[in-house]
Amino acid sequence: MEEFNLHMTGDIHAIVAANNLLAAALDARIFHESSQKDEALFNRLVPAKNGKRVPAPSQRARMERLGIKGEALDDAELLSPTDRVRFARLDVDPSTITWNRVLDTCDRFLRRIEVGRGPNERRTAEKYSFSSTRETGFDIAVASEIMAVLALASDLDDMRARLGRMAVARSRVDGPHKGAFVTADDVGCAGALTVLMKDALLPTLMQTIEGTPVLVHAGPFANIAHGNSSVVADKCGLKLCGEQGFVVTEAGFGADIGGEKFFDIKCRAGGLKPKCAVVVATVRALKLHGGAPPVVAGRPLPKEYSGEDLEVLGKGCANVAHHVACLSQKFNVRVVVAVNKFATDTPNELQLVREAGLRAGAHYAVVADHWAQGGHGAIDLAEAVVKACAADSTPFRYLYPLSDPVRSKIEAVCSKIYLAGEVTYSELAASQIDAYEAQGLGRLPICVAKTQYSLSTDPSKKGAPSGHTVNVREVRAAVGAGFLYLLCGDIMTVPGLPTRPGFVDIDLDTVND
């Protein structure tokens, strides 16, 4: 497990390298464009060799996107003065940059930083009268759009195309490109990103301690990304197990974020149609949703969690009931509730959760005791899933059509899944939505980043709160991944370390291992 949790698959390391290469390339391009005249910039981008200026394949592709045709595609020396400027200058508006650097460490002090403060960069900026500094920030690696691309790509060609489409900023509205998106292809490093990511596209085959094969691949968290493992891994699993087999794939953090995104984003991207959804519930979690005191690391467990309390649990069951109803009513998917049994759970409590799931519309609700008994304790759950998959059902459906306006799609998710009464938009978010729709991105699905601790954007609101307000503070265009990415409430895209981090318990035993 230690290797699994650290470096084994290598996916996250590749994502960090690729993501930060693109960030470095973008800042460097802005710096060089700001400090060089048109002719010098063009000559350095496409140097003359043997009397010709042969563009690299990525540069030729950019010329074609700009509408340049003819012999100039093979010899940039033949470009007109106007086309030389259009080709050489991305003309990035720094205030529109949405591409952050990433790291795989919880570091709250990198959420907002200023880059470009080096003495060489500042001297050059002073000489040519531009600013070398700008405010930016870091995200956690799993929030990178490249992680989402890895998880949603169907093959290497698709991954290359998606990486190239990733939008990092917009050009100046008063410049030659009139505010158009600047993509990784425009920067010229999408091919290099693909080379860095090529091995990461291969799923890692592992096994459980009982020998069941497991494909480990990708990890975009559902609270800050789309929350699902890869399309490639799912399709490999389906092919390997055959028509009579079963593939179990995870959608993190419940029906409200992982589940909704699985259906509306991943199933669309991969052409997948699930036959059954398993909602996993625990007595302890539902007691928290019913009003039991918060569980705080390092403090004794409150008595409500270790003894029978049907009143508190009954209130909390509104949460699992909503998850079941979302899946069965909004997406027409058959639902099985798995009640994970632990040592402190009583028979009455387990039965109460089962009954709540069945009343909400689950096909089956069973107690799963694999925590204590391993695979033998999950036999009832497996049999329930087999029966649910074989049962008749209405066709699977999405929550919203892609043709709906962006705000309508956002409000569909917020009202039908989060039970919100209102959606509000910051001035920035509203302007971003308008700009994306004007750029032809209105048909993309949406991906909401919000707290995983509540159906609302307030982590303190437990159970199934309704009538609350969802505030959208920022919207990013994840064009390569294929969705619009909303930051809602106070969600942070890079966590901070607590007072007592987990690393204090980690060390290496050089004697016994």
Side-chain angles (χ1 to χ4, degrees):
M1 285 301 295
E2 289 81 4
E3 295 303 321
F4 169 79
N5 285 321
L6 292 172
H7 309 286
M8 190 191 68
T9 70
D11 295 351
I12 292 179
H13 297 308
I15 288 162
V16 170
N19 186 102
N20 293 346
L21 170 61
L22 179 53
L26 177 64
D27 281 329
R29 184 62 173 266
I30 294 171
F31 176 80
H32 291 306
E33 287 190 23
S34 300
S35 59
Q36 298 179 44
K37 294 183 177 180
D38 294 341
E39 183 178 359
L41 180 66
F42 174 78
N43 289 342
R44 287 187 173 95
L45 285 172
V46 195
K49 293 181 181 179
N50 300 320
K52 295 181 67 176
R53 297 185 185 274
V54 180
S58 62
Q59 295 175 323
R60 179 188 172 107
R62 171 166 165 76
M63 292 180 185
E64 291 174 340
R65 290 194 301 276
L66 292 171
I68 296 170
K69 301 176 181 178
E71 295 179 354
L73 294 174
D74 298 312
D75 184 1
E77 185 68 34
L78 302 175
L79 287 172
S80 68
T82 299
D83 282 343
R84 289 187 179 205
V85 173
R86 291 174 61 230
F87 163 74
R89 292 203 175 273
L90 301 181
D91 199 32
V92 174
D93 180 350
S95 69
T96 67
I97 294 174
T98 55
W99 194 262
N100 286 345
R101 288 165 172 83
V102 300
L103 78 168
D104 195 33
T105 302
C106 299
D107 191 344
R108 67 180 72 245
F109 292 100
L110 291 178
R111 287 171 179 162
R112 299 308 300 170
I113 62 169
E114 187 178 60
V115 295
R117 294 177 57 86
N120 291 340
E121 288 70 35
R122 286 196 162 191
R123 280 194 296 269
T124 302
E126 289 173 4
K127 179 178 178 180
Y128 293 98
S129 302
F130 70 94
S131 174
S132 66
T133 63
R134 68 178 182 90
E135 187 177 287
T136 181
F138 275 76
D139 294 331
I140 197 73
V142 294
S144 170
E145 183 179 351
I146 296 178
M147 173 64 92
V149 166
L150 173 67
L152 293 170
S154 58
D155 53 36
L156 270 174
D157 288 335
D158 185 37
M159 184 170 73
R160 170 60 179 85
R162 287 174 178 270
L163 291 172
R165 290 197 299 267
M166 294 188 305
V168 295
R170 294 173 65 193
S171 64
R172 300 180 192 275
V173 294
D174 58 351
H177 304 300
K178 309 296 184 185
F181 282 113
V182 178
T183 68
D185 264 335
D186 293 324
V187 177
C189 68
L193 303 184
T194 309
V195 172
L196 286 170
M197 292 294 298
K198 66 181 180 63
D199 292 331
L201 189 61
L202 303 174
T204 300
L205 178 62
M206 300 184 69
Q207 63 179 352
T208 68
I209 57 175
E210 296 183 2
T212 302
V214 178
L215 290 167
V216 180
H217 200 210
F221 289 3
N223 56 341
I224 52 176
H226 77 278
N228 290 270
S229 58
S230 75
V231 168
V232 167
D234 283 2
K235 289 190 171 181
C236 283
L238 288 166
K239 187 173 183 179
L240 290 169
C241 74
E243 293 185 3
Q244 302 304 314
F246 292 82
V247 173
V248 179
T249 188
E250 181 189 12
F253 294 138
D256 56 323
I257 42 182
E260 183 273 321
K261 295 169 187 176
F262 174 82
F263 298 126
D264 286 321
I265 297 175
K266 182 178 178 180
C267 287
R268 275 188 166 112
L272 303 169
K273 292 185 178 181
K275 289 188 175 181
C276 173
V278 178
V279 174
V280 181
T282 66
V283 168
R284 281 188 182 179
L286 294 176
K287 284 182 176 179
L288 177 64
H289 279 289
V295 177
V296 180
R299 296 183 185 177
L301 193 68
K303 60 180 178 59
E304 287 85 352
Y305 296 101
S306 55
E308 183 173 282
D309 192 330
L310 299 179
E311 181 179 357
V312 169
L313 178 60
K315 294 177 181 177
C317 282
N319 183 267
V320 71
H322 178 67
H323 286 283
V324 171
C326 279
L327 297 170
S328 61
Q329 297 174 17
K330 308 304 181 186
F331 301 101
N332 279 350
V333 174
R334 288 155 283 189
V335 179
V336 174
V337 175
V339 188
N340 276 8
K341 179 183 177 181
F342 293 94
T344 55
D345 300 341
T346 69
N348 289 334
E349 289 175 328
L350 296 170
Q351 182 61 20
L352 183 61
V353 178
R354 288 186 64 249
E355 291 173 352
L358 292 170
R359 283 197 304 271
H363 274 65
Y364 302 97
V366 298
V367 175
D369 197 18
H370 51 280
W371 179 77
Q373 300 184 42
H376 182 75
I379 290 176
D380 289 345
L381 172 59
E383 290 177 345
V385 169
V386 171
K387 292 177 183 177
C389 288
D392 294 332
S393 68
T394 52
F396 165 72
R397 68 186 179 200
Y398 303 116
L399 184 67
Y400 52 79
L402 294 179
S403 57
D404 279 0
V406 171
R407 286 175 176 81
S408 295
K409 288 183 279 197
I410 294 171
E411 286 157 16
V413 173
C414 292
S415 64
K416 297 177 182 179
I417 305 298
Y418 306 156
L419 299 179
E422 182 182 14
V423 181
T424 59
Y425 302 88
S426 71
E427 184 176 343
L428 172 63
S431 65
Q432 289 170 325
I433 291 171
D434 293 340
Y436 297 150
E437 289 187 320
Q439 292 281 350
L441 302 181
R443 292 182 63 86
L444 292 177
I446 62 164
C447 180
V448 180
K450 76 170 193 70
T451 180
Q452 71 272 30
Y453 297 116
S454 172
L455 294 175
S456 72
T457 55
D458 180 351
S460 68
K461 293 183 182 296
K462 304 301 183 184
S466 61
H468 51 85
T469 297
V470 172
N471 177 253
V472 181
R473 71 173 197 263
E474 182 181 349
V475 182
R476 301 176 185 175
V479 185
F483 53 71
L484 297 180
Y485 176 49
L486 284 61
L487 297 177
C488 297
D490 296 326
I491 191 69
M492 297 291 180
T493 54
V494 60
L497 291 171
T499 304
R500 190 185 190 282
F503 61 67
V504 301
D505 296 315
I506 298 175
D507 210 331
L508 184 65
D509 184 350
T510 59
V511 176
N512 299 310
D513 189 4

